């Protein structure tokens, strides 16, 4: 490169770079490191003081709390027993198998071990063990003995919680009345629901210290104890209940009917001795049945009573003194009221019946003529006193009131309503209400509140009996006695139900065959076949009401419900050791 264009070189000596000055010597470096170490130690000491002295108690408590777990200790649900103290619903201690999924190392291997013990598929268990949940259910309500076997396997993450399981030792017995409980042990239906607060008791809790899903043996253990529930004793006699259920189910199936009800009452106390329904269910496996099968139709379903209602018509005219059992009534082939022609079930010419004969032969026309003697207002007052259209006061869950038409309501009353009510159509009742009406006649005219609960026993073992109601006078003892004697004619050779007779006992009862109102829309579809009776008629100890709903073929109460009545009544009389009748029934004329 030419020197042209290059800057001229400076003249004189060329300067040299300044020398690097060393700031530290080895001794100084050691001293610096010492200061750093001392500083770090000082920070550690300060941190240690903060952790151990200043915040020590707080952190220790936090660490302890992270290991503490609180579990619910379930109260043992109280028993439900029958009138004799036999348990028909009870609870036993059980365990739910749970899992902390974060602790499970081998979900498949654990599932293989648990599957045969829990009787569940391996895949089902493995799915429940897999994930990041700190709590998940593996199986519900296993026995404490089975849990002990599982616990002995020392499976990581597999835990349990205390629970109870509801057992119904008699299976379907009185199921629609009892109801059932859910997984949490609380009542969901029936008496299990209405009496839940008393039966359930109060749960306790337990706090324990755990590491890796295992309790620390020397850790703290504290909590509050559970208070078990009280027990409820029913008026139901399990033996009578069982017979009623069997007889009803057999007849409903034989007649291809939709369902049926049987109610057995002690008319002296109005205690319900049996309340059977069909269809029914097993409350041990309630989730496998439909709502219709679980339904207590004896109080939840209403229907028109038909001729069984004529007992109220006879009671009213006798109490008012306008007719006597031997009063003569001319019964024409038909009768017109409110622009409608009424007739009896079987066509006939002009009949000459006594009032007793009108009841014995179940004449609709004769009942209309009899009710005319007192007029609609007086007649309605008696139906109200018998409890039609009202709650019985039994407090059985789901009870319906039925219907008594209101003359002031044009949607409920017409020119044909009064005559229709006289023979049992146009009003609606429940099976329990029908049993209550006949128990009123059996109890010399006094209506009491039906009782299903005999009493309760609290957690201290103190039994408190349910007090009977004071009662309502509906008709006089004389009228009630007269109606009972007239009802005996129904089961005589001249009546509609001679097959309901029971050897050695005077039986008073009434058949009924009523059209059933359509569920969806006006008009009728199907029948309710009924028989309601009492024995011994001279001093009734039992009332049995039987209803067969929508039979598939025959629909006469005497043929369908009469046999069920006879079977149940015969057993109940013997079971309760009721003495046979000592006198013959009075022979009241049926015709004149």
């Amino acid at each position: 490169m030419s020197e042209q264009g290059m800057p001229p070189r400076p003249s004189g000596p060329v300067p040299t770079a300044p020398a690097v000055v060393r700031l530290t010597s080895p001794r100084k470096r050691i001293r610096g490191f010492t200061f750093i170490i001392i500083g770090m130690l000082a920070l550690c000491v300060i941190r240690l003081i903060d952790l151990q002295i200043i915040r020590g108690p707080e952190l220790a408590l936090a660490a302890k709390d992270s290991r503490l777990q609180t579990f619910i200790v379930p109260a043992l649900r109280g028993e439900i027993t029958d009138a004799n103290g036999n348990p028909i619903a009870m609870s036993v201690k059980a365990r739910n198998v749970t899992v902390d999924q974060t602790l499970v190392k081998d979900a498949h291997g654990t599932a293989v071990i648990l599957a045969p013990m829990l009787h569940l598929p391996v895949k089902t268990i493995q799915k429940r063990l897999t994930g990041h949940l700190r709590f998940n259910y593996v199986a519900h309500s296993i026995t404490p003995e089975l849990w002990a076997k599982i616990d002995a396997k020392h499976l990581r993450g597999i835990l349990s919680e205390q629970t109870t399981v509801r057992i119904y030792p008699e299976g379907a017995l009185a199921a629609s009345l009892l109801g059932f409980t859910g997984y949490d042990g609380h009542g969901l239906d029936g008496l299990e629901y209405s009496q839940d607060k008393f039966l359930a008791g109060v749960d306790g809790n337990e706090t324990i210290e755990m590491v890796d899903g295992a309790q620390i043996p020397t850790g703290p253990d504290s909590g509050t104890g559970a208070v078990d529930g009280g027990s409820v004793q029913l008026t139901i006699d399990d033996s009578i209940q069982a017979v009623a259920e069997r007889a009803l189910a057999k007849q409903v199936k034989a007649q291809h009917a939709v369902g049926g009800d049987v109610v057995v009452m002690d008319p002296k106390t109005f205690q319900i001795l049996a309340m059977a329904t069909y269809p029914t269910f097993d409350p041990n496996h309630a989730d496998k049945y439909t709502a219709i099968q679980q339904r207590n139709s004896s109080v939840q379903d209403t229907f028109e009573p038909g001729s069984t209602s004529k007992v109220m018509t006879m009671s009213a005219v006798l109490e008012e003194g306008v007719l006597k059992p031997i009063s003569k009534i001319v019964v024409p082939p038909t009768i017109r009221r409110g622009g409608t022609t009424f007739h009896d079930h079987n066509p006939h010419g002009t009949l000459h019946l006594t009032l007793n004969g009108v009841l014995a032969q179940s004449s609709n026309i004769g009942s209309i003529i009899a009710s005319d003697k007192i007029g609609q207002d007086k007649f309605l007052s008696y139906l109200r006193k018998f409890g039609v259209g009202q709650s019985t006061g039994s407090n059985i869950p789901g009870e319906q009131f039925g219907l008594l038409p209101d003359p002031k309501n044009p949607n409920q009353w017409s020119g044909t309503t009064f005559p229709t009510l006289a023979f049992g159509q146009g009003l609606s009742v429940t099976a329990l209400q029908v049993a209550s009406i006949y128990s009123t006649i059996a109890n010399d005219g006094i209506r009491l509140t039906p009782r299903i609960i005999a009493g309760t026993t609290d957690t201290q073992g103190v039994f408190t009996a349910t007090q009977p109601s004071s009662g309502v006078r509906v008709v006089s003892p004389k009228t009630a006695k007269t109606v009972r004697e007239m009802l005996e004619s129904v089961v005589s050779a001249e009546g509609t139900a001679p097959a309901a007779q029971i050897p050695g006992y005077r039986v008073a009862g009434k058949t009924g065959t009523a059209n059933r109102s359509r569920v969806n829309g006006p008009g009728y579809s199907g029948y309710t076949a009924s028989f309601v009776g009492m024995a011994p008629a001279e001093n009734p100890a039992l009332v049995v009401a039987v209803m067969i709903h929508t039979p598939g073929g025959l629909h006469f109460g005497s043929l369908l419900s009469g046999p069920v009545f006879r079977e149940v009544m015969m057993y109940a009389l013997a079971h309760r050791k009721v003495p046979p009748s000592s006198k013959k029934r009075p022979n009241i004329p049926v015709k004149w």
Side-chain angles (χ1 to χ4, degrees):
M1 183 176 181
S2 68
E3 293 183 358
Q4 289 182 340
M6 296 290 291
R9 293 183 179 181
S11 60
V14 179
T16 59
V20 177
V21 179
R22 296 185 181 274
L23 296 179
T24 58
S25 64
R27 182 177 295 178
K28 290 181 179 180
R29 287 200 303 271
I30 293 173
R31 187 181 300 143
F33 286 139
T34 301
F35 285 146
I36 291 172
I37 292 172
I38 291 173
M40 293 177 66
L41 289 174
L43 289 175
C44 290
V45 171
I46 293 171
R47 181 61 173 166
L48 191 60
I49 292 172
D50 177 56
L51 295 176
Q52 293 291 331
I53 299 176
I54 299 175
R55 297 176 57 200
E58 176 188 347
L59 295 174
L61 183 60
K64 179 181 177 181
D65 287 345
S66 69
R67 299 192 302 269
L68 294 180
Q69 293 192 32
T70 299
F71 299 91
I72 293 176
V73 179
L76 197 63
R77 190 174 180 84
E79 290 184 341
I80 300 178
T81 71
D82 82 331
N84 303 309
N86 301 316
I88 51 179
M90 58 190 297
S91 291
V92 295
K93 292 182 178 181
R95 289 275 181 169
N96 291 329
V97 181
T98 67
V99 61
D100 181 342
Q101 294 175 343
T102 65
L103 299 177
V104 177
K105 301 300 182 183
D106 181 5
H108 178 74
T110 304
V112 168
I113 296 173
L114 289 175
M117 303 178 77
L118 297 176
H119 301 289
L120 291 171
V122 172
K123 289 184 178 180
T124 300
I125 298 178
Q126 184 173 345
K127 184 177 180 180
R128 295 172 183 176
L129 301 181
T130 304
H132 304 285
L133 298 176
R134 297 300 306 274
F135 181 91
N136 193 36
Y137 283 109
V138 179
H140 289 278
S141 303
I142 68 170
T143 64
E145 293 77 16
L146 178 55
W147 167 247
K149 294 179 181 179
I150 294 174
D151 191 37
K153 300 292 184 181
H154 302 293
L155 302 172
R156 283 182 59 84
I158 301 302
L159 311 169
S160 79
E161 67 174 4
Q162 296 183 58
T163 187
T164 62
V165 61
R166 198 65 165 168
I167 295 174
Y168 301 88
E170 299 292 338
L173 187 81
S176 62
L177 176 64
L178 292 174
F180 53 91
T181 61
Y183 269 132
D184 62 356
H186 287 281
L188 297 179
D189 198 9
L191 293 176
E192 290 278 30
Y193 174 78
S194 66
Q195 301 298 312
D196 185 69
K197 186 175 181 180
F198 183 79
L199 290 167
V202 180
D203 290 341
N205 60 75
E206 181 183 26
T207 300
I208 60 177
E209 191 170 0
M210 300 187 71
V211 173
D212 290 337
Q215 182 177 355
I216 299 176
T218 58
D221 190 347
S222 62
T224 58
V227 179
D228 293 341
S231 62
V232 174
Q233 184 176 39
L234 304 184
T235 59
I236 295 292
D237 185 305
D238 63 353
S239 296
I240 299 176
Q241 178 75 26
V243 171
E245 289 183 3
R246 285 197 299 269
L248 177 65
K250 180 175 64 177
Q251 187 69 321
V252 169
K253 292 175 183 177
Q255 302 302 326
H256 306 288
V258 170
D261 307 290
V262 175
V263 178
V264 182
M265 291 182 68
D266 179 343
K268 298 291 192 298
T269 62
F270 272 50
Q271 288 187 340
I272 301 169
L273 306 180
M275 181 173 281
T277 63
Y278 192 88
T280 186
F281 70 105
D282 183 350
N284 291 298
H285 309 285
D287 58 340
K288 297 181 179 179
Y289 295 84
T290 66
I292 292 177
Q293 292 170 310
Q294 296 169 357
R295 187 177 182 82
N296 186 356
S297 55
S298 293
V299 295
Q300 291 180 272
D301 288 357
T302 60
F303 55 91
E304 297 188 358
S307 293
T308 56
S309 181
K310 290 172 183 173
V311 70
M312 294 187 286
T313 304
M314 298 299 123
S315 296
V317 297
L318 289 170
E319 185 73 6
E320 289 299 309
V322 296
L323 291 171
K324 296 180 180 180
I326 59 174
S327 294
K328 298 177 180 180
I329 297 179
V330 177
V331 181
T334 62
I335 191 171
R336 285 188 64 82
R337 292 289 187 276
T340 297
T341 299
F342 292 92
H343 54 80
D344 284 333
H345 193 275
N346 294 318
H348 59 73
T350 299
L351 302 177
H352 295 81
L353 301 177
T354 62
L355 182 65
N356 182 60
V358 167
L359 185 63
Q361 298 191 4
S362 200
S363 171
N364 294 341
I365 296 171
S367 297
I368 293 172
I369 294 171
S371 65
D372 282 343
K373 301 292 183 180
I374 59 174
Q376 74 175 35
D377 291 341
K378 186 68 72 175
F379 179 70
L380 284 173
S381 72
Y382 278 95
L383 297 187
R384 294 190 191 98
K385 285 195 288 185
F386 272 108
V388 178
Q390 308 164 41
S391 169
T392 64
S394 70
N395 292 323
I396 297 175
E399 181 182 358
Q400 301 298 304
F401 296 176
L403 173 67
L404 180 62
D406 183 358
K408 298 178 182 179
N409 187 337
N411 295 322
Q412 296 182 1
W413 201 271
S414 70
T416 62
T417 303
F418 175 37
T420 301
L421 291 174
F423 59 83
Q425 299 268 188
L427 71 161
S428 66
V429 293
T430 66
L432 179 59
Q433 285 177 323
V434 174
S436 173
I437 290 167
Y438 276 75
S439 291
T440 299
I441 297 301
N443 193 37
D444 285 337
I446 297 178
R447 177 167 65 91
L448 302 175
T449 299
R451 285 190 289 157
I452 194 66
I453 296 178
T456 57
T457 302
D458 62 21
T459 53
Q460 281 72 48
V462 178
F463 179 79
T464 302
T466 302
Q467 297 302 312
S469 63
S470 56
V472 175
R473 171 65 68 182
V474 179
V475 295
S476 67
K478 179 181 178 182
T479 294
K481 180 175 182 291
T482 301
V483 171
R484 293 198 299 268
E485 292 174 346
M486 292 171 64
L487 287 170
E488 288 188 78
S489 296
V490 175
V491 298
S492 71
E494 297 177 285
T496 58
Q501 296 178 18
I502 296 175
Y505 293 90
R506 289 168 55 183
V507 175
K510 184 71 187 76
T511 57
T513 303
N515 297 104
R516 288 182 65 84
S517 298
R518 291 183 182 276
V519 177
N520 300 313
Y524 294 102
S525 177
Y527 296 88
T528 293
S530 308
F531 188 90
V532 191
M534 60 195 74
E538 70 276 17
N539 184 24
L542 293 163
V543 167
V544 177
V546 181
M547 288 83 195
I548 306 294
H549 303 299
T550 318
L554 296 174
H555 54 265
F556 300 111
S558 58
L559 298 178
L560 272 64
S561 297
V564 179
F565 163 84
R566 189 173 186 273
E567 182 176 347
V568 174
M569 180 63 86
M570 285 183 67
Y571 176 83
L573 288 169
H575 178 69
R576 291 175 71 86
K577 297 180 174 58
V578 178
S581 298
S582 58
K583 297 180 180 179
K584 294 183 178 181
R585 72 174 181 88
N587 188 16
I588 306 174
V590 171
K591 300 178 181 180
W592 57 278

